[in-house]
């Protein structure tokens, strides 16, 4: 029961003699101004009064009609176990006192003669009420403390110097898979494993001995399922109210997730540092997938880069487990049907926004079977998509998602760098090729043009001295030869430039038109191809013209050095070969020891030839990204194969 007011004390006096009750009430109210005394003549009336209004204390006689004072006490205790109850009786004996104490009486006082007894009774009542009120305040504080402690997410506990838990909160009990009541009163040796208990005893004894708080880090304790957790305890000296007992208050934070994040981040930093030194897209993708597997345990991860046509996302590198989990390593075409893995990956690539799915089979965006159960899809600009995937649901935490972002962003930057390096290498190679060609031009200008110039100078001197018409003819021939060389040098330079916008070209039609430009009578062309190639029409025509011209000059019976078939018709064939097409004649062919030189500028086996025809063929092929080689034909003639050609379906 609680007091009516902060200072007032309401007392119920029960006695079968009304005169005694009134007298007692009068003297009590005089003895302590805080008292308000009401009376009852028996236990029944007293219980009715208690049920009707709050009282701070009950004073009762022992001998009364009906239930006596002890029985009245027992009934009060059933209803109001904390209410102060003083037995004030004229019949005193050790038996009554013992029985009253057993029933839970607050105090026992025997009636005497004189008024001083009321002063003593008033003091006893005031003390009993104050004690009860203090106890209630303490209990209220303890309830508030318990509520506060139990609301804390950290593990909170008070352990005395014997190692006994005096207080623990719900978080600590839940961590150990039990209740607060089960732990309070137990020792650290009974709750913790041997290693953790020994460490904890050492730490809290140090705090008790020094009186200084202590902060720890990296303390590992297993939960009730055996899973290790990392904690950061703070232990403070704590006064539990008993002068002879010392204790500590512990507040322990579970930093398992943070420790795991830091550990993963450290491992990721070591892995991603390798991305700064990769040279190719393939090597870069491999480093990234290995990092996803090692750091995030994402065994089904891979890097998928868009192809040159922009129609497919192709696997550049995947974790080895992908080959075991899938029948074939996935390839994601742009036109994949809705509900497929490929459609989802393309949506992420085109939207440029990452997607995380914790339960793939339960997600309505994918309706085809897949061994992946959790996935994070991260777009990488124009490069493609980083697929981070695992075989279990809810495999990735919020921390993992952040780590994937770091890894994917670093991967994208590394791919940008490798692209720049590849472009620089291409530019460097192109510059080297141009320098080589410049060297060739310089050689031709300094050497090959010097011969006709020498002839021209000599012929001019002779013509001036003799006026011989033959010397003028020699001059014209030398000028014509220099003019042809200069024209071929210019053409060689023009055809060495890159192709900007190739288009589909019918090879058979192009060959027929090119054949019409070759000056020949007896020779004939056999076209045995229906191939359509992506090329620059003009340059492809020039390539074919030069190959045809080479066959005619070196393969027909025209009296030249290669005249092995005088009087016979030369046949030139155009057909398909592996990776491209060929031009083949049935002439004498190219000797094996000369095949490495035939594409060099200025090289020719005929003294009247400038030697630039096949060099121009090679330059045109290189400008298209093709290769050209010479070998033996089926009939022993020369066969030129152009490969690396991009066919058009």
């Amino acid at each position: 029961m609680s007091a009516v007011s902060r200072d007032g004390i309401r007392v119920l006096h029960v006695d079968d003699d009304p005169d005694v009750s009134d007298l007692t009430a009068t003297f009590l109210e005089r003895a302590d101004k805080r008292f308000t005394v009401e009376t009852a003549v028996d236990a029944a009336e007293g219980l009715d009064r208690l049920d009707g209004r709050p009282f701070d204390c009950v004073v009762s006689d022992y001998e009364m009609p009906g239930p006596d004072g002890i029985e009245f006490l027992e009934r009060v205790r059933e209803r109001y176990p904390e209410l102060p109850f003083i037995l004030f009786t004229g019949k005193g004996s050790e038996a009554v006192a013992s029985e009253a104490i057993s029933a839970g009486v607050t105090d026992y006082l025997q009636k005497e003669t004189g008024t001083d007894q009321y002063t003593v009774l008033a003091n006893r009542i005031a003390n009993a009420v104050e004690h009860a009120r203090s106890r209630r305040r303490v209990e209220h504080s303890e309830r508030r403390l318990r509520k506060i402690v139990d609301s804390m997410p950290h593990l909170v506990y008070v352990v005395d110097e014997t190692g006994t838990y005096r207080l623990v909160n719900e978080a600590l009990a839940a961590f150990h898979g039990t209740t607060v009541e089960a732990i309070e009163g137990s020792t650290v040796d009974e709750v913790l494993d041997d290693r953790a208990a020994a460490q904890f005893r050492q730490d809290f004894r140090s705090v008790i001995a020094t009186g200084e708080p202590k902060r720890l880090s990296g303390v590992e304790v297993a939960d009730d399922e055996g899973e290790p957790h990392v904690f950061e305890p703070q232990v403070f000296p704590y006064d539990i109210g008993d002068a002879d007992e010392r204790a500590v208050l512990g507040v322990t934070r579970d930093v398992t997730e943070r420790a795991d994040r830091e550990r993963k981040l450290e491992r990721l930093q070591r892995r991603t540092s390798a991305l700064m030194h990769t040279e190719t897209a393939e090597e870069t993708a491999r480093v990234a997938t290995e990092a996803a597997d090692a750091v995030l345990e994402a065994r089904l991860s891979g890097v998928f880069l868009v192809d040159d046509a922009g129609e497919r996302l192709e696997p550049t590198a995947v974790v080895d487990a992908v080959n075991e989990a899938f029948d074939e390593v996935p390839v994601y075409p742009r036109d994949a049907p809705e509900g497929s893995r490929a459609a989802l990956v393309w949506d992420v690539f085109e939207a440029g926004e990452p997607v995380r799915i914790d339960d793939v089979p339960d997600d309505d965006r994918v309706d085809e079977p897949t061994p992946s159960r959790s996935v994070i899809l991260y777009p990488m600009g124009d490069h493609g998509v980083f697929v981070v995937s695992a075989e279990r649901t809810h495999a990735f935490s919020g921390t993992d998602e952040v780590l994937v972002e770091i890894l994917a962003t670093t991967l994208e930057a590394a791919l940008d760098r490798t692209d720049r390096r590849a472009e620089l290498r291409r530019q460097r190679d192109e510059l080297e090729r141009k320098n080589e060609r410049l060297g060739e031009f310089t050689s031709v200008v300094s050497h090959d043009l010097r011969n006709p110039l020498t002839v021209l100078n000599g012929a001019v001197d002779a013509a001036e001295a003799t006026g011989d018409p033959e010397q003028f003819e020699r001059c014209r021939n030398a000028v014509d030869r220099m003019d042809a060389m200069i024209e071929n040098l210019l053409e060689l330079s023009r055809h060495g430039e890159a192709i900007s916008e190739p288009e589909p070209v019918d090879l058979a039609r192009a060959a027929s038109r090119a054949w019409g430009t070759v000056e020949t009578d007896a020779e004939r062309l056999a076209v045995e191809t229906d191939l359509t190639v992506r090329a620059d029409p003009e340059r492809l025509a020039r390539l074919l013209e030069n190959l045809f011209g080479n066959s005619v000059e070196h393969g027909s019976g025209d009296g030249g050095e290669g005249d092995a078939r005088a009087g016979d018709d030369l046949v030139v064939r155009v057909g398909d070969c592996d990776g491209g097409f060929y031009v083949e004649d049935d002439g004498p062919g190219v000797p094996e020891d000369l095949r490495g030189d035939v594409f060099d500028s200025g090289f020719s086996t005929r003294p009247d030839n400038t030697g630039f025809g096949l060099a121009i063929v090679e330059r045109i092929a290189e400008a298209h990204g093709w290769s050209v080689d010479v070998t033996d034909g089926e009939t022993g003639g020369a066969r030129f194969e152009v490969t690396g050609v991009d066919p058009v379906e």
Side-chain angles (χ1 to χ4, degrees), residues 296-559:
L296 305 173
E297 297 182 1
R299 299 180 64 251
L300 301 183
S301 299
V303 174
F304 295 79
L305 301 183
V306 66
D307 65 0
D308 293 337
E311 297 298 326
R312 286 157 48 104
L313 289 166
E314 299 180 334
T316 304
V318 297
V319 179
D320 291 341
V322 172
N323 297 294
E324 304 169 6
F326 291 85
D327 295 334
E328 295 181 356
V329 176
V331 174
Y332 302 127
R334 178 191 290 272
D335 57 356
E338 287 297 320
S340 64
R341 297 189 305 268
L344 175 60
V345 175
W346 265 101
D347 286 345
V348 170
F349 177 59
E350 293 179 337
E353 294 293 333
V355 167
R356 170 182 168 184
I357 302 177
D358 292 323
D359 190 346
V360 175
D362 194 46
D363 194 279
D364 57 8
R365 284 171 290 187
V366 179
D367 57 18
E368 68 173 328
T370 174
S372 297
R373 293 294 180 267
S374 300
V375 66
I376 299 176
L377 305 174
Y378 211 99
M380 300 177 295
D382 296 332
H383 299 290
V385 176
F386 189 20
V387 178
V388 180
S389 179
E391 296 169 300
R392 62 194 186 283
T393 60
H394 301 279
F396 306 119
S397 65
T399 295
D400 294 334
E401 192 170 9
V402 173
L403 295 178
V404 170
E405 180 181 0
I406 294 172
L407 180 56
T409 303
T410 308
L411 172 59
E412 181 180 351
L415 289 172
D416 288 339
R417 191 194 69 253
T418 57
D419 283 353
R420 288 194 298 270
R421 287 185 176 179
E423 177 61 20
L424 288 174
R425 284 195 296 270
R426 187 196 65 76
Q427 294 176 359
R428 183 189 62 204
D429 293 344
E430 178 64 22
L431 181 60
E432 289 178 354
R433 284 193 297 271
K434 288 181 177 180
N435 287 337
E436 289 175 0
R437 291 167 190 168
L438 181 60
E440 293 174 358
F441 297 161
T442 302
S443 174
V444 170
V445 170
S446 63
H447 180 269
D448 292 4
L449 285 178
R450 185 171 295 155
N451 291 334
L453 278 173
T454 301
V455 171
L456 179 60
N457 287 330
V460 168
D461 291 341
E464 289 178 344
T466 64
D468 185 355
E470 254 183 55
Q471 301 303 326
F472 291 105
E473 184 64 25
R474 288 180 63 197
C475 290
R476 282 193 291 270
N477 288 340
V479 170
D480 289 344
R481 181 166 178 76
M482 286 189 293
D483 184 60
M485 284 186 178
I486 291 170
E487 181 64 29
N488 278 281
L489 280 171
L490 292 173
E491 180 138 358
L492 187 64
S493 175
R494 286 194 299 269
H495 287 301
E497 297 174 357
I499 303 300
S500 57
E501 294 185 5
E503 60 185 72
V505 179
D506 185 311
L507 182 61
R509 183 177 301 176
S512 297
R513 289 177 178 174
W515 182 258
T517 65
V518 179
E519 297 180 1
T520 178
D521 296 325
E523 294 79 6
R524 62 190 180 89
L525 177 71
V527 179
E528 302 168 351
T529 181
D530 58 0
L531 187 66
T532 298
V533 299
R534 194 174 298 277
D536 181 314
E538 285 190 27
R539 297 196 192 183
L540 177 60
R542 184 60 172 161
L543 178 147
L544 293 170
E545 290 171 6
N546 283 16
L547 288 176
F548 293 160
N550 182 78
S551 293
V552 170
E553 290 179 9
H554 296 278
S556 61
D558 59 359

Side-chain angles (χ1 to χ4, degrees), residues 66-266:
D68 61 21
I70 300 299
E71 291 172 325
F72 179 41
L73 170 61
E74 290 173 344
R75 294 180 186 181
V76 170
R77 284 286 172 261
E78 289 175 0
R79 301 184 187 186
Y80 311 107
E82 303 299 327
L83 180 63
F85 192 107
I86 298 175
L87 194 63
F88 184 51
T89 178
K91 182 180 180 179
S93 69
E94 292 184 2
V96 173
S98 176
E99 191 177 358
I101 292 172
S102 298
V105 74
T106 304
D107 205 348
Y108 177 89
L109 185 63
Q110 189 171 354
K111 292 178 182 178
E112 298 176 354
T113 59
T115 58
D116 290 343
Q117 65 178 327
Y118 298 112
T119 302
V120 175
L121 178 59
N123 289 333
R124 298 284 183 93
I125 293 172
N127 290 337
V129 171
E130 289 300 328
H131 181 73
R133 288 179 175 178
S134 295
R135 185 174 61 250
R136 284 196 296 270
R137 285 194 294 269
V138 169
E139 290 173 352
H140 178 67
S141 296
E142 288 179 348
R143 286 194 297 271
R144 290 183 61 192
L145 175 62
R146 169 65 68 184
K147 187 174 182 180
I148 293 171
V149 166
D150 284 338
S151 68
M152 294 182 66
H154 306 318
L155 279 57
V156 180
Y157 48 88
V158 173
V159 176
D160 65 27
E161 57 189 335
T162 69
T164 301
Y165 285 99
R166 302 290 289 270
L167 178 144
V168 300
N169 69 342
E170 293 285 356
L172 187 145
F175 175 78
H176 290 290
T178 185
T179 63
V180 168
E181 293 75 17
I183 295 181
E184 290 181 347
S186 302
T187 66
V188 293
D189 299 299
E190 295 170 326
V191 176
L192 305 176
D193 61 59
D194 294 343
R195 182 184 58 80
Q199 180 63 47
F200 183 61
R201 280 185 175 277
Q202 179 181 339
D203 293 329
F204 81 69
R205 284 171 179 166
S206 171
V207 171
I208 289 175
T210 63
E212 297 293 331
K214 192 172 187 178
R215 179 190 292 269
L216 308 172
S217 62
V219 177
E220 289 196 8
V221 180
D223 61 18
D224 63 305
E225 296 181 353
E227 289 294 323
H229 289 245
V230 180
F231 291 103
E232 280 189 353
Q234 286 182 276
V235 185
F236 304 88
Y238 187 73
D239 182 4
I240 58 177
D242 296 326
D244 295 335
E245 288 189 275
R246 294 177 296 177
V248 295
L249 167 66
V251 180
T252 299
R253 297 174 59 200
D254 189 337
V255 295
T256 305
E257 184 174 344
R258 190 190 75 190
D260 180 60
R261 178 172 64 249
E262 291 174 351
R263 187 163 49 244
K264 285 182 176 179
L265 184 58
E266 181 181 353

Side-chain angles (χ1 to χ4, degrees), residues 602-624:
F603 177 83
S604 178
T605 59
R606 297 172 61 101
D608 58 345
N609 196 310
T610 61
F612 286 96
L614 292 182
I616 292 172
V617 168
E618 185 178 52
R619 296 294 188 274
I620 295 174
E622 288 177 352
H624 283 83

